[in-house]
Amino acid sequence: MHKEFANIYDVFMESVNYEDWYKYLRKYIKKAGTVLDLGCGTGEFLVRFSKDGFSSIGVDISEVMLEIAGDKTKESKDVELYQGDIRNFRAEKPVDYVVCNFDTVNYFDKFGDLEDFLLCSYENLKENGILIFDVVTEEIFEEMFENGVFLDEKENYLTIWRYNKEGENYIINIKLFIREKENLFRNYEEVHVKTIFDLEEIANKALETGFDIVDIKNDEEFGENRFFFILKK
């Protein structure tokens, strides 16, 4: 994430229902323990896990994201933050749960990166530990984009997305206009690249890594073309 984008990430994500997403995670994360949140962003789930009595470790590649997460979690108990690469981060001790949310793995450039992520997660987990992550499929672009454009307008911002496809990658150009005063907007521009991975190939690699597959499922609440992998070591 670019530095400027990290600063307005929470505005960009304000339409996300964190509470329902968190409840979904808790269907599989029932017993209190230690949670490793890979790609933790600004720490929304770290705060929630801490309130529910979990120890939490947040990892993100963005220093600015972690600064914001630090502000949000400063009153929370048992929260640690680290800047690092989610493909190779190693916790000091094995954890009970690993989570990676909001199709973060679709930002990997190639399948080898996803393989590294799976191995990293496996090695960070205790025996019988749970990994939960989600991926989007190619159809999400038809779901979200009408005539190649996604438009989202709220009281305090307007965002316009356009995309084009290059091989297995989708290049997404994002323009975001943040209202600062009544008639004054600040403009941010981002280019994101998403890679679409085959679900069966992910499942096979998870098994090869050593995981058992608890479930692979989608939930219409989070989009028909978003699939959650729930894996057990």
Side-chain angles (χ1 to χ4, degrees), residues 148-180:
V149 177
F150 170 75
L151 177 66
D152 185 20
E153 184 175 6
K154 296 290 190 295
E155 181 179 353
N156 62 336
Y157 75 85
L158 168 67
T159 182
I160 303 169
W161 297 20
R162 291 184 172 86
Y163 78 88
N164 62 302
K165 185 179 180 183
E166 296 181 5
E168 296 301 314
N169 296 329
Y170 283 81
I171 315 301
I172 306 170
N173 294 277
I174 301 172
K175 288 188 176 182
L176 180 62
F177 302 89
I178 304 290
R179 186 189 298 276
E180 295 192 337

Side-chain angles (χ1 to χ4, degrees), residues 35-143:
V35 179
L36 172 59
D37 188 348
L38 295 176
C40 66
T42 60
E44 286 289 333
F45 291 127
L46 299 175
V47 173
R48 288 164 172 79
F49 278 118
S50 178
K51 285 181 179 178
D52 283 349
F54 289 79
S55 298
S56 302
I57 303 168
V59 179
D60 205 280
I61 201 167
S62 167
E63 182 179 354
V64 180
M65 288 282 196
L66 291 172
E67 289 174 359
I68 299 169
D71 287 338
K72 288 184 181 181
T73 59
K74 61 185 177 183
E75 303 298 328
S76 301
K77 296 181 180 179
D78 296 322
V79 176
E80 300 176 25
L81 297 174
Y82 296 94
Q83 185 176 12
D85 189 325
I86 67 172
R87 295 169 297 182
N88 55 36
F89 177 82
R90 293 293 184 272
E92 291 184 5
K93 298 179 181 179
V95 301
D96 300 285
Y97 311 100
V98 176
V99 298
C100 184
N101 298 290
F102 306 124
D103 53 88
T104 295
V105 299
N106 286 107
Y107 285 93
F108 292 145
D109 292 333
K110 57 187 183 298
F111 193 76
D113 294 329
L114 197 149
E115 292 177 315
D116 291 341
F117 163 80
L118 287 171
L119 181 60
C120 169
S121 299
Y122 187 87
E123 292 181 345
N124 275 306
L125 282 168
K126 296 178 181 178
E127 201 66 33
N128 298 314
I130 297 292
L131 164 63
I132 305 174
F133 66 95
D134 63 285
V135 297
V136 293
T137 60
E138 193 168 30
E139 290 76 15
I140 198 168
F141 293 95
E142 296 177 9
E143 177 184 329

Side-chain angles (χ1 to χ4, degrees), residues 191-227:
V191 177
H192 291 190
V193 180
K194 289 196 175 187
T195 306
I196 301 300
F197 299 110
D198 181 78
L199 298 181
E200 185 176 354
E201 192 175 3
I202 297 173
N204 289 337
K205 180 50 65 174
L207 292 171
E208 184 181 320
T209 303
F211 283 107
D212 292 327
I213 297 176
V214 177
D215 211 345
I216 302 171
K217 64 184 301 183
N218 67 334
D219 189 307
E220 290 186 2
E221 181 177 356
F222 308 114
E224 293 182 359
N225 300 299
R226 181 183 302 278
F227 288 81

